[in-house]
């Protein structure tokens, strides 16, 4: 047999797919053409999309009851054969194209259980996903309600919207307790503040732990609500929870001088280097200075955190203290108190410095969360606040492009980590 007589399976499949697509395109063109010629709208109430959705749902339901009874509609085989069709009942379901009235078939014995539109189901799953997506972007229940009414002509109560978003709570609990990697090169931890009404409206911190994996991916490890009185005991509880989920080693822990956190890190992971965020240190410095001095202070502090060695950084800091210590002694004290956690990255490769001397990596996540919570004003309780933050996190980077950029940016730094930390990272990859 010659090769000319052999038909490649791939080419046959491609021809069939091309043919199917051609038929689909012709059918779509015909439907759109008829709708336009008859003055029928494509979208909106009574539009082509609603009518198509109705026909498709009813056709699927008819197929389901046929499978259930074992014979087609009007088939003589079903006559006097026991259970049989018993007409239909009307039902309105909310779909992505608006409310659609459908006829649901019934059987005489009442044993038919539809799958595509279940009994007592009022919404198709796509609507639930839409509501959760809108809530994750920061829309209140009232705004989601108004959006559904305006765009889809659907009247959905605020209670229904709240019930839909409550579905994420089970997923949130599972996510918060999922197993984690054995080793992470870096964990960043930071807080955002949300307003919660607990008797009176008050700012409450929600802590976000973001890790970089051994492959350079971004992974949010969890969320924890605080009450503002956090100390070493509080952080020990959180870090022990992370360790119990499988994290045996962390190379560096980057934070914003949270009280008691360095001691807790040393207790849980003794070999971990704790690094204070330099950007936060600078911002806190500006709080003690007049606005007109900010640029001058930033300029003279830059040689401190870009010094080639810790000794050089100490010399540059002494120069800053001489120049500004008399006017702003609080800034000098701030840096002196943070010095032990500020300087570790000065001992490392420039690639590691560039990545870990700031919590910008986690602040970009926090910025998205803040947008979601800002529209709410305040939350009735802690659970509502945590639900909103969780949904915002789950809606991050839907295309995956951000994750790809993140991984690319971390490649060089991860090689430096592996060398600097004596192969502890490569051991995690094996």
């Amino acid at each position: 047999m010659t090769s000319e007589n052999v038909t490649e399976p791939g080419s046959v499949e491609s021809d069939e797919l091309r043919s199917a697509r051609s038929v689909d395109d012709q059918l779509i063109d015909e439907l759109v053409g008829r709708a336009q010629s008859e003055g029928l709208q494509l979208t909106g109430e009574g539009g082509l999309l609603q009518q198509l959705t109705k026909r498709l749902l009813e056709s699927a339901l008819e197929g389901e009851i046929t499978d259930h009874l074992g014979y087609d509609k009007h088939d003589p085989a079903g006559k006097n054969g026991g259970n049989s069709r018993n007409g239909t009942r009307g039902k309105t379901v909310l779909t992505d194209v608006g409310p659609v009235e459908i006829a649901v078939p019934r059987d005489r014995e009442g044993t038919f259980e539809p799958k595509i539109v279940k009994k007592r189901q009022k919404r198709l799953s796509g609507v639930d996903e839409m509501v959760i997506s809108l809530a994750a972007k920061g829309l209140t229940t009232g705004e989601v309600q108004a959006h559904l009414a305006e765009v889809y002509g659907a009247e959905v109560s605020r209670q229904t919207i709240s019930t839909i978003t409550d579905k994420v709570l089970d997923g949130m609990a599972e996510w918060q307790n999922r197993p984690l990697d054995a080793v992470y090169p870096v964990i960043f931890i930071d807080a955002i503040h949300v307003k919660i009404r607990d008797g009176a409206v008050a700012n409450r911190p929600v802590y976000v732990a973001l890790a970089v994996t051994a492959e350079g991916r971004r992974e949010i490890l969890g969320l924890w609500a605080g009450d503002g009185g956090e100390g070493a005991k509080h952080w020990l509880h959180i870090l022990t929870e992370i360790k119990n989920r499988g994290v045996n080693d962390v190379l560096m822990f980057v934070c914003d001088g949270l009280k008691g956190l360095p001691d807790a890190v040393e207790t849980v992971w003794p070999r971990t280097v704790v690094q204070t965020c330099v950007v936060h240190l600078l911002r806190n410095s500006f709080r003690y200075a007049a606005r007109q001095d900010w640029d001058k202070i930033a300029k003279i502090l830059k040689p401190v955190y870009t010094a080639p060695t810790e000794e050089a950084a100490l010399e540059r800091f002494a120069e800053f203290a001489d120049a500004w210590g008399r006017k702003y002694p609080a800034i000098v004290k701030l840096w002196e108190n943070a010095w032990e956690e500020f300087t570790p990255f000065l001992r490392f490769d420039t690639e590691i410095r560039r990545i870990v001397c700031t919590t910008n990596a986690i602040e970009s996540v926090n910025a998205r969360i803040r947008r979601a919570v800002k529209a709410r004003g305040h939350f009735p309780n802690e659970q509502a606040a945590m639900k909103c933050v969780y949904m915002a996190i789950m809606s991050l980077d839907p295309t995956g492009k951000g994750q790809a950029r993140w991984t690319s940016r971390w490649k060089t730094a991860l090689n430096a980590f592996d060398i600097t930390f004596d192969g502890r990272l490569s051991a995690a990859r094996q």
Side-chain angles (χ1 to χ4, degrees), residues 49 101 124 158 166 185 196 232 277 324 337 367:
L49 289 179
E101 292 186 15
L124 298 190
R158 294 192 181 194
D166 279 346
I196 297 177
C277 168
W324 292 94
N337 291 340

Side-chain angles (χ1 to χ4, degrees), residues 2 15 34 43 52 62 84 104 111 171 194 200 222 230 264 269 292 295 302-303 305 318 320 394-395 425:
T2 66
D15 290 343
R34 288 182 60 184
T43 59
L52 283 175
E62 187 60 40
S84 62
V104 181
T111 56
V194 298
E230 290 76 27
W269 298 295
Q292 62 267 25
D295 290 342
K302 186 174 182 179
Y305 61 83
F320 169 80
M394 291 298 104
S395 67
L425 191 58

